[in-house]
Amino acid sequence: MLLRTFQLSDYAPVTELLAEVLTESCYDETIGALARQLKWDSDLVTVAEADEQIVGIIIGTIDNNKGYYYRIAVGQAYQRRGIGKALVENLKQKFVQRKVSRILVTADPHNEPILPLYESLGYRATDFLRSFSKLSIMNG
């Protein structure tokens, strides 16, 4: 398995991977976030390659000197092989190199099922950033 920074030629296989793994609403959100992150800092988007194809991706971002794991996806045929953990560790090293003050996990409803992955890597509930922006729709 090879981990490397996202390249423009990865766009089609990455969107196929995301469509395979994510729900439709999560896919739509993630594609928008991916596009924004690629404009801001493509180095924080890492892909995993195996068998000459893209089998995983992690999207991170830095905001106010904090590093955030935004979204991770691993192809169904490649899950439970350590690829997700390797992607998290790779991005963590990028955050450490950039001397972020804290690393957080975006814990939106789409990420809830994979929070145990982060817990297995030593992250705690206090490291999970839960966004309640959806609540503002109900009040407005």
Side-chain angles (χ1 to χ4, degrees):
M1 176 187 56
L2 168 71
L3 298 179
R4 60 173 176 74
T5 301
F6 180 94
Q7 299 168 357
L8 190 55
S9 60
D10 298 329
Y11 189 79
V14 161
T15 56
E16 289 170 20
L17 170 71
L18 294 174
E20 171 199 333
V21 177
L22 305 178
T23 64
E24 189 175 331
S25 62
C26 182
Y27 174 86
D28 292 341
E29 271 182 39
T30 302
I31 290 298
L34 173 62
R36 285 188 301 276
Q37 188 57 40
L38 291 173
K39 281 187 212 170
W40 293 330
D41 187 349
S42 63
D43 189 48
L44 297 178
V45 180
T46 301
V47 296
E49 248 187 75
D51 303 323
E52 298 181 21
Q53 62 181 342
I54 303 292
V55 299
I57 182 171
I58 190 165
I59 303 167
T61 193
I62 296 175
D63 188 32
N64 292 325
N65 200 35
K66 292 184 178 102
Y68 295 89
Y69 298 110
Y70 172 70
R71 187 78 69 226
I72 186 170
V74 175
Q76 292 173 350
Y78 291 87
Q79 292 177 1
R80 308 233 180 272
R81 295 188 186 183
I83 294 171
K85 288 182 179 183
L87 285 165
V88 170
E89 288 298 322
N90 179 276
L91 185 53
K92 179 182 178 182
Q93 291 308 312
K94 291 179 182 183
F95 288 150
V96 169
Q97 288 169 357
R98 294 184 185 204
K99 299 178 178 21
V100 299
S101 61
R102 185 157 183 219
I103 300 173
L104 297 163
V105 178
T106 303
D108 63 19
H110 304 299
N111 277 349
E112 289 290 335
I114 56 124
L115 294 183
L117 166 71
Y118 291 102
E119 290 169 338
S120 75
L121 292 168
Y123 293 92
R124 301 178 313 277
T126 54
D127 300 318
F128 300 151
L129 178 69
R130 288 183 165 78
S131 172
F132 296 102
S133 59
K134 300 267 184 215
L135 295 177
S136 62
I137 296 169
M138 297 165 68
N139 294 331

